[in-house]
């Protein structure tokens, strides 16, 4: 990911990046990939019927992370109110998904990795939301 | 759109659809298309520099609508808390985008159509959010 | 969906819409919703382990349909080569997903509805691709 | 990004990752972010009317990269034909967008960074497509 490099060249940003928001953008794209992968790995497991809630939360979380990453990337004009709202939504999606993944972490390595990714992204969303007035 | 037909066949739904939510799903997909189209039509206008805030809000709104439409479609397991949060986020995205589009509605027919689509989607999100405990 | 209404107001289109492409845009958004719903309904079925390939193709098809619907919506500047390539990709995604859904259509009503949606979208993609030089 | 870590834990993969595909997944997510950012930075530039084709190709490329990254992530069941088709589509999207960005690279640093991201992603898609039978 090169979010800091490209966002810093925006004509309205001119190098003054909000680093909490940049970190959050990178975590959102990364967590979207991790959740997509965890949903698919769960689908390939033998104990699949125990993982349906996990798959569902994975898919929801991937959708929210992808939308939040795009929206938080945009700096032209202003839409702080919506960015903040989506950061709070994304923190919730990551917390709910991460808690469910954590329940399966001892049996499924992909759930352990996904729980960590969700925890990092939730934290990054919280800090980015605080950084926006 | 055939959201009602397919959601009603879900094994956990068995015909007992939440019609406020179904309408909202259809409005979300429709508004994602309308906002994508309005952003692109604004980009083709001669007075483009007056429409940059409109394009930005259109793109953000399309992202939130697409994510909300997907998440609200899922009925396996449960994730009501996140659905409700995203419906509120989507109502905000549609309201902000619709207000900006309404400012350009007398000059640009695509902004007039998009403002109406955003208003319908915001209303549908509000009613769907109320329908979820 | 109001794809024809809004695309026809684009400054470069001025009412001269490509109706095969407009129909295709609407089928893409509709099929993205249907496939998202079918994946989720499959996930809620008791015979889930027989539906994992169906869920996987549903999720892939929803992704391609959503991207194709957005790309085919844009008329500013030109990108016909990519639109045509994506219409061909989307026809393939819909054909593969529809064939798998058709295998489960007699057991699962959501698969029957989804197979029909995929067939309509594949047909619309083929005709839209032909309409582009 | 942690694509290799999580994909390698998939029950059907068991550590035997296709490293060309993994690299491609990471480039797709990264390029989706870069193109979203470049479209938005172009929208904030004074010489905006010279950048409308660039914005359009950026938005199209972001859509294809996001869909390709998700689809290439999935390993349950099989869909190699579609993965390959989407890798070829994504290579085309990245090549077309990268060529346009390269035209503006001397004036706009975000276009220079985006042209490089598109070139890396096009190359990664080509190599990943070759790695699939």
């Amino acid at each position: 990911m090169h979010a800091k490099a490209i966002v810093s060249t925006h004509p309205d940003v001119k190098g003054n990046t909000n680093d909490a928001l940049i970190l959050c953008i990178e975590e959102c794209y990364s967590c979207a990939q991790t959740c997509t992968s965890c949903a698919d790995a769960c689908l390939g497991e033998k104990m699949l019927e125990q993982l349906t809630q996990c798959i569902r939360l994975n898919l929801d979380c991937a959708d929210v992370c992808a939308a939040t990453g795009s929206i938080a990337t945009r700096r032209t004009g202003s839409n702080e109110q919506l960015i903040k709202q989506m950061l709070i939504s994304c923190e919730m999606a990551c917390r709910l998904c991460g808690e469910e993944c954590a329940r399966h972490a001892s049996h499924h390595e992909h759930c352990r990795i996904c729980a960590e990714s969700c925890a990092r992204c939730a934290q990054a969303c919280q800090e980015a939301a605080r950084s926006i007035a």
Side-chain angles (χ1 to χ4, degrees), chain A:
Chain A
M1 297 287 294
H2 303 271
K4 189 180 170 77
I6 193 149
V7 173
S8 70
T9 66
H10 191 290
D12 300 344
V13 174
K14 290 174 186 151
N16 285 315
T17 51
N18 172 340
D19 287 345
L21 192 59
I22 296 282
L23 175 65
C24 180
I25 292 166
E26 299 211 346
E27 291 294 352
C28 282
Y29 279 88
S30 178
C31 197
Q33 195 278 328
T34 312
C35 285
T36 299
S37 198
C38 190
D40 175 66
C42 287
L43 197 64
E45 294 291 352
K46 287 203 189 83
M47 317 276 274
L48 175 52
E49 61 286 349
Q50 298 173 10
L51 294 167
T52 55
Q53 173 74 354
C54 193
I55 294 172
R56 191 262 165 89
L57 297 182
N58 277 152
L59 294 175
D60 284 356
C61 193
D63 286 335
V64 181
C65 284
T68 306
S70 292
I71 291 165
T73 290
R74 295 191 187 105
R75 312 255 43 87
T76 296
S78 72
N79 207 7
E80 271 84 3
Q81 193 186 357
L82 183 65
I83 293 178
K84 194 157 189 168
Q85 173 72 13
M86 284 299 290
L87 291 169
I88 293 167
S89 304
C90 194
E91 186 194 342
M92 181 191 286
C94 289
R95 190 171 41 72
L96 292 168
C97 182
E99 283 169 4
E100 181 66 27
C101 278
R103 280 184 203 112
H104 310 285
S106 60
H107 289 92
H108 303 299
E109 185 68 1
H110 46 84
C111 287
R112 189 190 61 73
I113 293 171
C114 194
E116 288 179 6
S117 178
C118 288
R120 272 197 312 274
C121 193
Q123 177 76 11
C125 286
Q126 194 182 60
E127 288 171 20
R130 262 191 222 130
S131 77
I132 295 173

